[in-house]
């Protein structure tokens, strides 16, 4: 049974929803799954100024925070993160940087990884964010399991071969129908993880 950590960062809920869809599909595919949030390090005053951010943090207060122990435990990862100027949010960068000890010990080699992203417009940096995250994975010696064009659901979701991505309007509504693509990507990640770690 593949051990899969679905690690997300979400300020207002989009990437949490993507992570939950991925969890559902990964469990259907037989994986042992943990859904984990990247620790929030934004100043409280910034959070207080955004009601949706504050509300989402409260709603997900019981979701465990991701740690290096979780990175070591898992055979594979799915990351779901919003874009920040074409890159991962600072919270995610801090989390990845803190894995240096595991990297140095070679404990991240051959982990299978796939990623998803969101932004407020169709060309808001989703692809760049995913490929920037994959750059870190290459340094880890991880195996990237991008969806490519392996299923028709990818075209229905906008056709991002690097990982499912979604556009979200100012009210938090997803503009593309990406649920099927997320679930396909999760099942594909479990399949590849099983091929790598159960042989």
């Amino acid at each position: 049974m593949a051990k899969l950590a679905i690690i997300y960062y979400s300020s207002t809920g989009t990437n949490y929803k993507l992570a939950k869809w991925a969890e559902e599909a990964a469990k259907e595919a037989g994986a042992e799954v943990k859904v984990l949030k990247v620790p929030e390090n934004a100043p409280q005053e910034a959070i207080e100024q955004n009601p949706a951010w504050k509300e989402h943090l409260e709603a997900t207060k019981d979701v465990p925070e991701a740690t290096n122990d979780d990175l070591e435990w898992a055979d594979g990862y799915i990351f779901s993160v919003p874009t920040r100027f074409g890159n991962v949010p600072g919270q995610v960068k801090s989390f990845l940087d803190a894995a240096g000890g595991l990297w140095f010990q070679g404990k991240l080699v051959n982990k299978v990884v796939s990623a998803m992203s969101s932004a407020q417009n169709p060309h808001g940096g989703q692809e760049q964010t995913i490929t920037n995250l994959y750059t870190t994975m290459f340094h880890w010696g991880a195996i990237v399991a991008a969806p490519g064009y392996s299923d028709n659901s990818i075209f229905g979701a906008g056709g991002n071969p690097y990982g499912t991505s979604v556009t979200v309007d100012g009210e938090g509504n997803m503009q593309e129908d990406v649920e099927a693509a997320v679930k396909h990507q999760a099942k594909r990640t479990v399949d590849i993880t099983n091929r790598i770690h159960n042989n």
Side-chain angles (χ1 to χ4, degrees), residues 23-66:
E23 175 190 29
E24 183 183 332
K27 285 182 173 177
E28 283 177 10
E32 182 181 352
V33 182
K34 292 182 183 181
V35 174
L36 305 157
K37 63 186 175 189
V38 170
E40 182 60 79
N41 60 14
Q44 190 62 35
E45 55 266 29
I47 297 167
E48 294 287 341
Q49 291 172 11
N50 185 329
W53 193 354
K54 184 178 178 182
E55 182 182 327
H56 178 67
L57 274 181
E58 180 62 25
T60 56
K61 65 175 187 266
D62 294 330
V63 177
E65 291 187 343

Side-chain angles (χ1 to χ4, degrees), residues 93-112:
K93 184 69 166 65
S94 294
F95 173 73
L96 296 174
D97 287 350
L102 290 178
W103 165 81
F104 185 75
Q105 297 170 64
K107 291 184 175 179
L108 300 172
V109 172
N110 292 340
K111 303 288 190 176
V112 174

Side-chain angles (χ1 to χ4, degrees), residues 49-193:
Q49 291 172 11
N50 185 329
W53 193 354
K54 184 178 178 182
E55 182 182 327
H56 178 67
L57 274 181
E58 180 62 25
T60 56
K61 65 175 187 266
D62 294 330
V63 177
E65 291 187 343
T67 67
N68 278 354
D69 288 343
D70 297 309
L71 290 177
E72 188 170 357
W73 167 84
D75 301 316
Y77 317 120
I78 295 175
F79 287 94
S80 188
V81 302
T83 183
R84 295 289 186 269
F85 305 116
N87 213 324
V88 299
Q91 293 88 340
V92 177
K93 184 69 166 65
S94 294
F95 173 73
L96 296 174
D97 287 350
L102 290 178
W103 165 81
F104 185 75
Q105 297 170 64
K107 291 184 175 179
L108 300 172
V109 172
N110 292 340
K111 303 288 190 176
V112 174
V113 64
S114 203
M116 308 182 287
S117 190
S118 65
Q120 287 193 335
N121 51 71
H123 301 286
Q126 294 99 318
E127 291 185 0
Q128 195 73 34
T129 296
I130 291 170
T131 56
N132 278 328
L133 190 142
Y134 288 161
T135 297
T136 299
M137 298 301 110
F138 295 138
H139 282 256
W140 285 8
I143 297 165
V144 171
Y149 296 113
S150 55
D151 188 79
N152 282 337
S153 63
I154 292 151
F155 294 100
N160 188 340
Y162 307 104
T164 307
S165 63
V166 67
T167 311
V168 183
D169 68 17
E171 283 72 54
N173 301 305
M174 294 189 195
Q175 300 302 293
E176 298 91 10
D177 183 4
V178 299
E179 182 176 355
V182 168
K183 290 181 173 179
H184 168 72
Q185 184 172 348
K187 288 177 178 177
R188 174 172 160 77
T189 305
V190 171
D191 176 45
I192 294 171
T193 304

